Amino acid sequence: NSERAKEEASQNFEKLFHVLEEKKSATLRAIEASKNLRMEKLQSQAEEYQGLLENNGLVGYAQEVLKETDPSCFVQTAKQLHVRIQKATESLKSFRPAAETTFEDFVVDISEQEEILSDLSFHSSGVETPEINEEQTRMYNKALISWECPGKKDSADIYVLEYHKLNREEENVTWQEIEVCSKSKVIPDLDDDSSYAFRVRAYKGSICSPWSREVILRTPPAPVFSFLFDDKCGYNSEHLLLNPRRTSVESRAGFPLLLGSERVQVGCYTTLDYIIGDTGIAKGKHFWAFHVEAYSYLVKVGVVSSNKIQKLFHNTHDVTSPRYEQDSGHDSGSEDAFFDSLQPLTLVTLGMKKFFIPTTPAAPKDPASRILPLPSCLGICLDCDKGKVGFYDAGCMKCLYECEVDCSAIMYPAFALMGGAAVHLEEAVTAKYGEYCDDI
């Protein structure tokens, strides 16, 4: 059986050698034929210009002028010679070779074939091709790549995970290789605001599976900023419920809101319960992400400066507050503009599975065009140096909306909830995400 396997392997390589020899011969014949055709055209052009020079007699006339010994006669004839040389050189300015002299169009690009041949190895139906699980794969502060085998039984001894940064300027791609015993791997130290391609294959002994389908992931536009919800600064424990780790917040309407609603006869103003992060940002560029529950009625997210936090937690539009007054009856448009000018923070509105782009002079006038589907994971990028804040679909790292913000003071992540709603901060990727052998 081994002799038969050797013979079959030798035959396969002989087929490759035969294909390469045929390609080599065809390529060399094409280059030679092109060379001969170009040489004929250039030779014909050379003969044509040689004849023009001989018939024109310019060279002979110049030689005779140089033999003139009388200065006055030499000046007269030299002037005529100069005019004839100018006319002759003018025709040479438009001279072009009759055939292309380079062979740049005959360069053989073997980079793709070279990569394929370098991956040439034993393939067996006994080793199934793994597939990267995009639902379990995450890209945040690090990359968590997870994969699985489609079959019921995993017969692989080890996996090889490869990845490389997508760069249009690089012609030859260099894959970075990692051997993994489990079905997931955490990859640190990736460049910000970059796209990476990932693929994986399984090995059992010397036999390997084909490569999986490549998956493209994009890193956040800035380093990840870690914080927890602040349970002290203005936190309303009657309306907001924090989990013990302070990574999730849920709004609870409760009895105070119901009792306050008894006073409302026309219209209905309800309270926004604010909560901020426990860590501020003074400089640099930072990114953080979070999930908003699909059932959430109204959530506002963004940033607030330290000198406006006190104003943030004194909301006069609270139905439970004695300072609350109903609609004054003035024009709503002017009131909205006045209200926006007094906003103590930069926020966007989320709710009912929608993302609402704020109304600005540059925003589309059609309200429907300002409403986008709410991403499963939303990200915020704050650039204090440029004074900008952007809101991202953290799944594909696509910017949904960006605006200017005053970063002269310390900035804090800010959230506001109303009615039934919940926000969960995205957890950092750590080694706890399944980097272990399944057999243990």
Side-chain angles (χ1 to χ4, degrees):
N1 289 336
S2 67
E3 293 300 324
R4 186 183 301 110
K6 290 180 181 178
E7 184 178 354
E8 291 177 355
S10 298
Q11 290 177 355
N12 289 330
F13 279 100
E14 288 296 334
K15 290 179 181 178
L16 291 177
F17 297 152
H18 181 65
V19 171
L20 288 174
E21 286 295 338
E22 287 187 345
K23 289 291 184 180
K24 176 182 176 181
S25 300
T27 302
L28 296 180
R29 287 196 302 268
I31 295 175
E32 186 66 22
S34 179
K35 184 201 74 171
N36 295 334
L37 181 61
R38 298 183 192 188
M39 287 295 294
E40 291 178 3
K41 293 181 179 180
L42 291 173
Q43 184 64 32
S44 176
Q45 187 182 34
E47 293 175 357
E48 177 184 356
Y49 275 84
Q50 182 67 28
L52 290 175
L53 289 175
E54 292 177 355
N55 295 333
N56 197 14
L58 182 60
V59 177
Y61 180 71
Q63 292 175 346
E64 292 298 325
V65 170
L66 292 175
K67 294 178 182 179
E68 182 61 56
T69 57
D70 186 1
S72 59
C73 292
F74 177 79
V75 171
Q76 292 179 354
T77 54
K79 185 176 181 180
Q80 297 177 359
L81 175 62
H82 179 68
V83 173
R84 294 181 63 179
I85 290 176
Q86 279 187 324
K87 292 181 178 180
T89 53
E90 285 178 0
S91 63
L92 292 176
K93 291 179 181 178
S94 59
F95 171 79
R96 293 291 183 274
E100 180 63 43
T101 56
T102 64
F103 282 76
E104 294 178 351
D105 50 341
F106 283 90
V107 176
V108 180
D109 183 10
I110 63 169
S111 57
E112 183 177 352
Q113 289 77 12
E114 186 178 7
E115 182 179 356
I116 294 175
L117 289 175
S118 64
D119 292 336
L120 189 63
S121 58
F122 293 111
H123 284 180
S124 171
S125 58
V127 182
E128 296 180 337
T129 304
E131 291 297 333
I132 295 178
N133 189 328
E134 297 189 46
E135 294 183 358
Q136 297 181 4
T137 293
R138 294 174 53 211
M139 181 75 83
Y140 195 40
N141 61 318
K142 302 174 185 177
L144 168 64
I145 311 300
S146 299
W147 57 89
E148 55 188 17
C149 294
K152 296 182 180 180
K153 184 178 180 181
D154 182 14
S155 58
D157 296 330
I158 198 171
Y159 297 93
V160 172
L161 175 65
E162 287 191 343
Y163 67 96
H164 74 90
K165 182 179 178 180
L166 299 183
N167 192 341
R168 296 180 180 179
E169 299 178 357
E170 295 183 1
E171 296 182 358
N172 297 325
V173 175
T174 302
W175 291 85
Q176 299 188 53
E177 182 180 296
I178 303 176
E179 290 189 357
V180 187
C181 295
S182 62
K183 293 183 182 178
S184 66
K185 181 64 179 178
V186 174
I187 303 176
D189 303 326
L190 298 178
D191 295 336
D192 296 330
D193 200 14
S194 303
S195 295
Y196 285 84
F198 299 87
R199 64 182 185 182
V200 65
R201 76 183 342 172
Y203 279 84
K204 186 173 180 60
S206 60
I207 302 174
C208 69
S209 70
W211 286 108
S212 68
R213 178 180 59 87
E214 292 183 15
V215 172
I216 308 296
L217 298 177
R218 188 164 185 83
T219 57
V224 170
F225 177 64
S226 297
F227 65 93
L228 300 174
F229 287 117
D230 194 333
D231 60 350
K232 297 180 177 61
C233 182
Y235 167 62
N236 188 339
S237 58
E238 291 184 0
H239 292 175
L240 297 180
L241 175 64
L242 279 176
N243 68 339
R245 297 169 55 201
R246 291 191 286 133
T247 58
S248 297
V249 60
E250 182 180 0
S251 63
R252 300 180 297 177
F255 282 104
L257 183 61
L258 292 177
L259 295 174
S261 65
E262 291 181 344
R263 302 170 50 218
V264 178
Q265 302 298 328
V266 179
C268 182
Y269 278 96
T270 54
T271 182
L272 276 171
D273 295 301
Y274 292 93
I275 189 168
I276 63 174
D278 62 353
T279 307
I281 300 173
K283 60 181 180 179
K285 190 175 181 181
H286 305 271
F287 178 86
W288 61 93
F290 49 89
H291 305 267
V292 176
E293 288 289 351
Y295 65 79
S296 300
Y297 175 68
L298 176 59
V299 176
K300 287 178 176 287
V301 296
V303 293
V304 61
S305 60
S306 57
N307 55 12
K308 295 181 179 180
I309 290 180
Q310 185 176 3
K311 184 186 295 184
L312 180 69
F313 292 102
H314 289 78
N315 189 358
T316 58
H317 289 91
D318 188 338
V319 298
T320 64
S321 171
R323 295 174 296 173
Y324 167 76
E325 296 180 1
Q326 296 184 13
D327 193 351
S328 62
H330 296 154
D331 178 68
S332 60
S334 61
E335 286 188 355
D336 290 342
F338 177 73
F339 182 73
D340 289 341
S341 65
L342 297 179
Q343 284 299 292
L345 68 171
T346 302
L347 296 174
V348 296
T349 302
L350 317 172
M352 302 178 68
K353 301 181 181 180
K354 302 295 181 183
F355 177 95
F356 298 88
I357 297 177
T359 304
T360 61
K365 296 181 180 180
D366 182 17
S369 60
R370 296 191 297 106
I371 301 176
L372 305 176
L374 180 63
S376 60
C377 186
L378 195 71
I380 296 179
C381 181
L382 176 64
D383 191 338
C384 291
D385 300 334
K386 294 184 178 180
K388 290 185 177 181
V389 58
F391 300 85
Y392 284 75
D393 180 344
C396 59
M397 296 301 169
K398 177 184 177 181
C399 184
L400 304 176
Y401 171 71
E402 187 180 55
C403 63
E404 295 182 356
V405 62
D406 183 6
C407 297
S408 57
I410 298 177
M411 306 300 292
Y412 290 85
F415 303 83
L417 295 82
M418 186 179 77
V423 177
H424 311 282
L425 299 180
E426 178 79 344
E427 294 186 9
V429 177
T430 62
K432 72 177 184 179
Y433 287 95
E435 286 193 37
Y436 55 86
C437 182
D438 295 337
D439 295 334
I440 296 179

